[in-house]
Amino acid sequence: MKYAEVVVDRKASVLDRPFTYEIGYQFENILKEGMRVIVPFGNGNKAIKGFVIKIEDDFTSNFKLKEIIDILDDKPLVSKELIQLGLWIKEEYLSSYMDAFQPILPPGDFKEINTFVELFKTKANTINLNNVEKSIIEYLKDNHAPMLLSKLKEDLNIKNINPILNKLEEDGIIGVNIEIKTTVNKKTEKWVKLNEKYNINEALEIVGTRAKKQIEIANHLYINGESQCTRLIEGLNTSLSTIKALEKRNVIEIYDKEVERNAVKRPIPYYKKHVLTKEQYNAFECILEEYDIKSNKFLIHGVTGSGKTEIYLQLVEEMLKKGKDAIILVPEISLTPQTIDRFMGRFGEKVAVIHSKLSYGERFDQWRRIKTGKAKLVVGARSAIFAPFKNLGLIIIDEEHENTYKSSQNPKYDTIDVAEKRCDLEHAILVLGSATPLIETYYKAQRGEYKLLELKERANKQKLPEILLVDMREELSFGNKSIFSRALYNEIKGNLENNRQTILFLNRRGFSNFVSCRSCGYVVKCTNCDISMTYHKSIDKLRCHYCGATRDVPHVCPQCGSKYIKYFGVGTEQVEITTKKLFPNARIARMDGDTTSLKGSYENILEDMKSGEIDILIGTQMISKGLDFPNVTLVGIIAADTTLNLPDFRSPEKSFQLVTQVAGRAGRGDDLGKVVLQTYNPEHYSIEYAKLQDYNKFYKTEIMLREEFLYPPFVNIISILVYGEDRYNVQHVIKSCYDIIKKESFFINDFNKHFIGPNPAPLEKIKNNYRWQIIIKIENNHMECMKNIIKRVCILNEFNLKLDNVKFSIDVNPLTIL
Ligand SMILES: Nc1ncnc2c1ncn2[C@@H]1O[C@H](COP(=O)(O)OP(=O)(O)OP(=O)(O)O)[C@@H](O)[C@H]1O
Ligand SMILES: [Zn+2]
Ligand SMILES: [Zn+2]
């Protein structure tokens, strides 16, 4: 007797464990890990869906186990390695089983999946087959459309057919395709081909010698195989009635064929291969040589414009040569046509693209192309890390420092960690790339966990742009209250006169309601945490998100006495209006969340930028990275302070990254670029080192501060948030939770653990839910113990907290704690 461990789709946390079922004899040789099943569940034995994560030969139980009712899939949907990855995610990020497997399973609510078998005829006759195999081929020959696997099995009734089909598929004789039943209608079109009953001579005999067009059509189909109906009509200048006539005489067949929903609809020109520069070549060589011997994890630290993408492309090419698949992750906002074109322009049909704007049907199509081996590489945002490749050889994470690699929804995974784990499970290479690596990543590289590869020059040997720092406090003291400094104004003017393009950048990430002085640059910060305090309207006070300390809003600057102390905030719209006023003849475009929500508008703006129809492009993060426009020689950063003063320990790092990335858009062509950086804090180390474009100096200062104030990579941060509509319950649960965790972790030295809270979350109430949180800083060596305690308290509820209408949200190393 065999047993299956099944994860069922039930939300309640007490049921968050796999259930064991007996596998009846009829299923014993069919059921595989990674397939979905129907199982009886609960007291009423309701039939529900589940997912098999493990099959065991032995199981001891005190009571009779229930039996699996039915199997839903013909083939495993998920590989063993991806099941392992799912289980790892569950433990690592303290998520539920179902949440952990959600991103790994095919997209959408996959109620019914049908498997089809089709014959790849070209090969069928050339290989020696045994009788059973021949009967399958014969059967498929009689059915020209892809055949439902279940029907094939029923019709043929061959014992143990699965391994035979697998072998035929591996030999490339048949293809197996899967299809999901969705609400999205399948798009089909009419195709034609010669009737297989006749060879071409017989076909022409039937047509006779008089019908010239019909002869032409038959010959065309003989040479080209099948053809799309409308294309045939246009191409041969014939009519539908002529084709219908041929069908009537049984010479040809007309049939429906599914139109693949392409993720990319435009034609894409070939992207020319560059000869690698010496630096590029060294990195490329090192990765291929050291892989499997010394290290399989690499960090490419390469300045902006150093040609990291070309290295990625050539690595992928090497993989394809070896028959291996590749995953290339880029941040969602870098999934521009420019990036996609580079990959599709080099690898064409082999590329799958996954991003969040795809419809559900399109997403499934991409998943299917990967699963069935039609796509060999995927270029995509975060979730593409779970692409179901069979033979993964390489994972590339470009711009690895980007926020989007941390998932803010369940499961709250960190893509880099997941990629590391997946590379270990599948013996693949991991390549991280950035001009401004995450502090944590660089720290790992310093410790030898990643092999560090450096690119110090731009691919075209152009120098990095010159950065001009403007102290906005001085502007104010000169009576200039505008958002443009005199220097930036003059530079823009000059650039316009030279017919060059300008990018004006303004950061608007999340919260920016810190309070600062425009005369001296003073920012109200928490004395315990060295982090900007945030204004809370409900209590009319400033509060620190890390320790909960509050204070009144000052009306005069505590540092210089000026009354120009207020909330900081400029919008892109305001910048646009001002720019139009100052430069009435310039062609100005704005790119931010508001202007690009329409599908395609983003592409349009980039297209206009490329063709030179825009003189000044104003934008937010969207324009900060990945863009490669040779005619942009000037970049203006309106206010570096918005990121510098985010209530987040990462704000210096974020500022350094942003300035470097945005500056990197300038001077990518033949002429040197220039950057004007406006700030109220020119002395800040992050601004200072950004100006010098010196990552190493920045890293050294930052890592020292992280150690001193106890932030990652020296500790882990775990956020436990309790939310619910009843404020009293929420406060009660968070308090009990705090007490229990503290008590249970008594054996961890206070020096190694720090509790902050319970405090109201910075966003105290969202959608009628009150939110309170505890933040735990825990030293790396004690992380596993602490996670275990949290799991027992918050997930398994071993301490019987009364969780009426109250829920937990746990985030391990959260991106922000808002
Ligand atoms: N070996 C090469 N020879 C000539 N040009 C190259 C070479 N490699 C890359 N390039 C060109 O250099 C430019 C910059 O390359 P790419 O955009 O890949 O840089 P990057 O390192 O990704 O920069 P960023 O981090 O700023 O996005 C591109 O226009 C690319 O076509
Ligand atoms: Zn002041
Ligand atoms: Zn504080």
Side-chain angles (χ1 to χ4, degrees):
M1 184 63 78
K2 284 189 176 180
Y3 304 87
E5 273 189 37
V6 177
V7 172
V8 295
D9 190 1
R10 294 278 117 150
K11 283 280 177 247
S13 65
V14 277
L15 297 181
D16 189 49
R17 59 177 180 86
F19 293 86
T20 308
Y21 288 90
E22 258 182 43
I23 305 174
Y25 289 108
Q26 73 274 32
F27 296 136
E28 218 181 75
N29 294 319
I30 304 174
L31 189 62
K32 298 261 153 41
E33 289 165 2
M35 287 183 178
R36 293 171 310 141
V37 288
I38 303 279
V39 291
F41 193 77
N43 290 334
N45 279 334
K46 199 171 161 237
I48 63 167
K49 262 189 315 182
F51 169 65
V52 178
I53 57 168
K54 199 159 184 218
I55 291 180
E56 278 168 301
D57 290 326
D58 226 343
F59 189 81
T60 35
S61 167
N62 296 331
F63 46 90
K64 172 91 178 88
L65 291 173
K66 296 178 189 176
E67 259 188 61
I68 284 182
I69 300 173
D70 204 357
I71 303 180
L72 285 176
D73 304 314
D74 300 305
K75 301 193 113 208
L77 289 180
V78 176
S79 68
K80 284 202 174 89
E81 290 81 7
L82 283 176
I83 293 177
Q84 288 309 311
L85 195 67
L87 293 172
W88 178 84
I89 285 175
K90 186 191 85 68
E91 290 300 322
E92 189 71 13
Y93 303 103
L94 297 170
S95 74
S96 71
Y97 275 95
M98 219 42 208
D99 280 343
F101 282 106
Q102 208 58 56
I104 290 168
L105 292 165
D109 180 22
F110 47 102
K111 283 199 192 75
E112 278 180 58
I113 291 185
N114 293 326
T115 309
F116 291 90
V117 185
E118 99 188 271
L119 191 59
F120 293 160
K121 286 187 213 72
T122 44
K123 287 194 176 178
N125 304 323
T126 63
I127 299 173
N128 296 327
L129 302 168
N130 65 32
N131 282 339
V132 179
E133 289 164 343
K134 273 191 191 136
S135 67
I136 296 173
I137 305 291
E138 282 308 315
Y139 174 85
L140 287 171
K141 264 191 185 160
D142 290 340
N143 299 285
H144 53 69
M147 203 55 216
L148 209 58
L149 178 58
S150 51
K151 176 135 191 339
L152 176 143
K153 284 182 176 171
E154 212 179 290
D155 288 353
L156 288 178
N157 198 14
I158 297 171
K159 251 195 181 167
N160 238 337
I161 195 171
N162 285 333
I164 306 172
L165 290 174
N166 286 344
K167 182 178 170 282
L168 288 174
E169 190 188 355
E170 265 164 33
D171 292 344
I173 296 171
I174 62 169
V176 175
N177 211 342
I178 38 195
E179 182 195 78
I180 196 169
K181 278 229 170 114
T182 73
T183 47
V184 186
N185 281 331
K186 255 197 330 189
K187 250 176 95 180
T188 58
E189 50 194 18
K190 297 275 180 222
W191 283 64
V192 281
K193 66 175 178 182
L194 284 178
N195 192 328
E196 268 157 27
K197 279 197 208 125
Y198 309 119
N199 64 34
I200 181 66
N201 291 330
E202 288 164 338
L204 288 175
E205 213 160 284
I206 298 170
V207 174
T209 49
R210 274 185 297 155
K212 291 266 164 355
K213 262 297 162 211
Q214 296 190 13
I215 297 172
E216 204 184 334
I217 294 171
N219 274 320
H220 178 87
L221 290 176
Y222 174 64
I223 295 163
N224 293 294
E226 53 180 4
S227 170
Q228 196 202 336
C229 209
T230 48
R231 221 176 289 152
L232 188 72
I233 292 169
E234 276 170 25
L236 297 186
N237 198 14
T238 175
S239 67
L240 187 61
S241 56
T242 314
I243 292 178
K244 282 261 161 79
L246 276 169
E247 189 197 22
K248 225 172 177 181
R249 303 170 75 177
N250 260 329
V251 176
I252 63 166
E253 295 175 56
I254 304 179
Y255 53 96
D256 287 324
K257 193 164 167 172
E258 187 185 344
V259 185
E260 263 199 25
R261 283 168 293 230
N262 286 328
V264 179
K265 295 185 178 74
R266 334 161 251 115
I268 292 174
Y270 178 72
Y271 182 61
K272 197 178 111 272
K273 196 166 160 179
H274 291 284
V275 179
L276 296 179
T277 63
K278 196 152 178 287
E279 277 190 332
Q280 282 173 321
Y281 186 76
N282 287 344
F284 170 80
E285 259 308 272
C286 179
I287 291 170
L288 293 179
E289 272 177 8
E290 296 213 346
Y291 161 58
D292 253 5
I293 306 166
K294 287 185 190 152
S295 162
N296 67 335
K297 303 192 180 85
F298 303 86
L299 168 63
I300 302 182
H301 176 210
V303 298
T304 53
S306 54
K308 293 182 282 292
T309 317
E310 188 61 43
I311 304 179
Y312 304 154
L313 287 164
Q314 300 205 12
L315 284 172
V316 170
E317 195 183 324
E318 288 302 311
M319 286 300 131
L320 296 186
K321 275 190 209 154
K322 291 182 188 161
K324 294 199 170 182
D325 309 313
I327 296 174
I328 297 99
L329 300 182
V330 298
E332 184 81 41
I333 52 172
S334 305
L335 261 176
T336 57
Q338 219 175 36
T339 310
I340 293 171
D341 287 8
R342 287 184 182 177
F343 284 91
M344 293 195 90
R346 185 87 43 99
F347 301 111
E349 288 296 296
K350 295 195 188 93
V351 183
V353 177
I354 295 180
H355 58 79
S356 66
K357 283 207 183 110
L358 292 183
S359 72
Y360 160 67
E362 288 168 331
R363 192 175 296 237
F364 184 80
D365 283 357
Q366 297 298 313
W367 184 89
R368 176 175 63 173
R369 288 183 60 223
I370 296 167
K371 180 78 183 164
T372 55
K374 284 191 180 147
K376 293 289 173 196
L377 67 149
V378 61
V379 181
R382 184 173 69 218
S383 65
I385 190 65
F386 300 106
F389 284 119
K390 252 193 221 132
N391 207 356
L392 186 67
L394 173 69
I395 297 178
I396 290 168
I397 305 185
D398 190 28
E399 311 283 4
E400 62 85 31
H401 61 276
E402 272 299 310
N403 278 346
T404 54
Y405 289 126
K406 165 82 183 176
S407 167
S408 51
Q409 292 158 0
N410 286 329
K412 294 179 177 140
Y413 63 90
D414 180 335
T415 312
I416 298 180
D417 293 346
V418 174
E420 272 192 32
K421 184 71 192 174
R422 190 162 182 195
C423 281
D424 287 344
L425 285 168
E426 307 193 28
H427 306 290
I429 307 176
L430 176 65
V431 176
L432 307 177
S434 173
T436 50
L438 210 59
I439 294 292
E440 283 99 321
T441 304
Y442 205 74
Y443 182 71
K444 280 190 179 172
Q446 294 291 320
R447 289 158 53 100
E449 285 173 52
Y450 304 135
K451 165 96 186 175
L452 181 64
L453 304 164
E454 294 196 88
L455 306 176
K456 298 192 162 145
E457 282 183 3
R458 283 190 161 174
N460 61 1
K461 302 281 183 259
Q462 181 57 267
K463 283 212 194 77
L464 288 174
E466 178 196 333
I467 299 187
L468 182 71
L469 202 63
V470 177
D471 185 343
M472 291 304 278
R473 299 169 305 186
E474 271 177 27
E475 292 295 311
L476 188 71
S477 71
F478 269 99
N480 177 11
K481 287 185 197 161
S482 157
I483 47 177
F484 286 96
S485 62
R486 292 158 300 168
L488 182 54
Y489 173 83
N490 288 331
E491 291 293 341
I492 297 174
K493 199 156 156 264
N495 221 34
L496 283 172
E497 281 159 10
N498 292 327
N499 286 321
R500 292 314 178 98
Q501 291 171 300
T502 301
I503 288 180
L504 293 179
F505 175 80
L506 184 73
N507 181 54
R508 250 199 347 188
R509 197 193 300 270
F511 258 64
S512 60
N513 34 356
F514 60 96
V515 170
S516 73
C517 170
R518 289 189 68 186
S519 296
C520 75
Y522 172 84
V523 175
V524 184
K525 284 189 174 179
C526 172
T527 42
N528 307 326
C529 310
D530 196 35
I531 278 172
S532 316
M533 298 180 91
T534 305
Y535 179 65
H536 278 244
K537 213 170 167 189
S538 57
I539 49 168
D540 190 30
K541 277 187 192 321
L542 293 163
R543 177 183 268 143
C544 170
H545 290 167
Y546 279 72
C547 72
T550 58
R551 59 164 289 179
D552 288 331
V553 185
H555 295 290
V556 290
C557 173
Q559 190 165 284
C560 75
S562 151
K563 60 182 192 316
Y564 286 107
I565 183 158
K566 56 171 197 178
Y567 315 124
F568 199 92
V570 207
T572 42
E573 229 170 316
Q574 195 188 337
V575 176
E576 187 184 14
I577 291 166
T578 315
T579 314
K580 278 187 174 151
K581 236 187 254 164
L582 292 174
F583 307 102
N585 296 324
R587 293 164 300 173
I588 297 168
R590 172 161 66 96
M591 179 129 113
D592 56 23
D594 299 339
T595 60
T596 54
S597 46
L598 288 173
K599 223 178 172 176
S601 53
Y602 180 70
E603 284 85 349
N604 291 342
I605 296 177
L606 293 181
E607 204 46 54
D608 287 351
M609 193 69 189
K610 201 164 151 189
S611 60
E613 316 256 302
I614 296 173
D615 298 315
I616 303 176
L617 178 63
I618 300 167
T620 52
Q621 276 83 341
M622 274 184 190
I623 57 168
S624 71
K625 56 191 60 76
L627 303 184
D628 191 22
F629 298 118
N631 201 33
V632 172
T633 47
L634 174 65
V635 166
I637 301 173
I638 303 292
D641 306 69
T642 39
T643 21
L644 202 52
N645 294 309
L646 283 176
D648 184 343
F649 74 90
R650 294 186 196 277
S651 69
E653 182 181 18
K654 287 280 157 245
S655 309
F656 183 86
Q657 286 166 359
L658 264 171
V659 174
T660 311
Q661 297 288 347
V662 182
R665 298 316 111 209
R668 292 170 82 96
D670 295 333
D671 296 305
L672 189 65
K674 196 166 210 177
V675 179
V676 178
L677 171 58
Q678 304 190 148
T679 176
Y680 291 91
N681 284 279
E683 308 85 4
H684 195 286
Y685 66 94
S686 156
I687 300 290
E688 202 179 312
Y689 294 139
K691 176 189 151 53
L692 297 174
Q693 312 205 39
D694 193 331
Y695 178 86
N696 285 319
K697 280 202 179 122
F698 172 75
Y699 172 78
K700 279 188 188 132
T701 308
E702 184 64 23
I703 199 82
M704 210 176 64
L705 289 171
R706 296 274 181 100
E707 193 163 17
E708 191 175 320
F709 285 95
L710 287 180
Y711 288 117
F714 300 97
V715 296
N716 290 281
I717 294 180
I718 305 176
S719 146
I720 301 174
L721 186 104
V722 172
Y723 63 97
E725 291 191 3
D726 184 320
R727 185 206 302 244
Y728 172 80
N729 279 353
V730 169
Q731 288 182 13
H732 182 73
V733 169
I734 194 88
K735 183 82 182 42
S736 320
C737 175
Y738 174 84
D739 291 340
I740 298 168
I741 294 176
K742 200 145 198 187
K743 200 165 138 229
E744 289 297 309
S745 63
F746 72 93
F747 59 91
I748 303 175
N749 199 315
D750 275 345
F751 187 73
N752 295 320
K753 64 168 198 257
H754 300 264
F755 289 81
I756 301 162
N759 281 315
L763 294 170
E764 208 175 319
K765 202 176 165 192
I766 297 179
K767 289 189 204 144
N768 274 330
N769 278 298
Y770 290 90
R771 307 164 80 238
W772 279 66
Q773 74 184 159
I774 309 169
I775 305 245
I776 302 173
K777 282 181 177 178
I778 177 86
E779 210 259 336
N780 296 349
N781 291 338
H782 302 279
M783 180 66 171
E784 286 313 308
C785 291
M786 186 53 87
K787 273 205 301 210
N788 230 330
I789 296 167
I790 294 172
K791 188 166 147 190
R792 285 167 49 219
V793 178
C794 307
I795 296 179
L796 303 173
N797 197 16
E798 282 183 16
F799 298 85
N800 296 315
L801 293 169
K802 274 179 71 187
L803 301 175
D804 307 329
N805 300 318
V806 166
K807 287 198 177 115
F808 282 105
S809 165
I810 300 168
D811 201 337
V812 177
N813 289 321
L815 202 59
T816 78
I817 50 162
L818 300 188

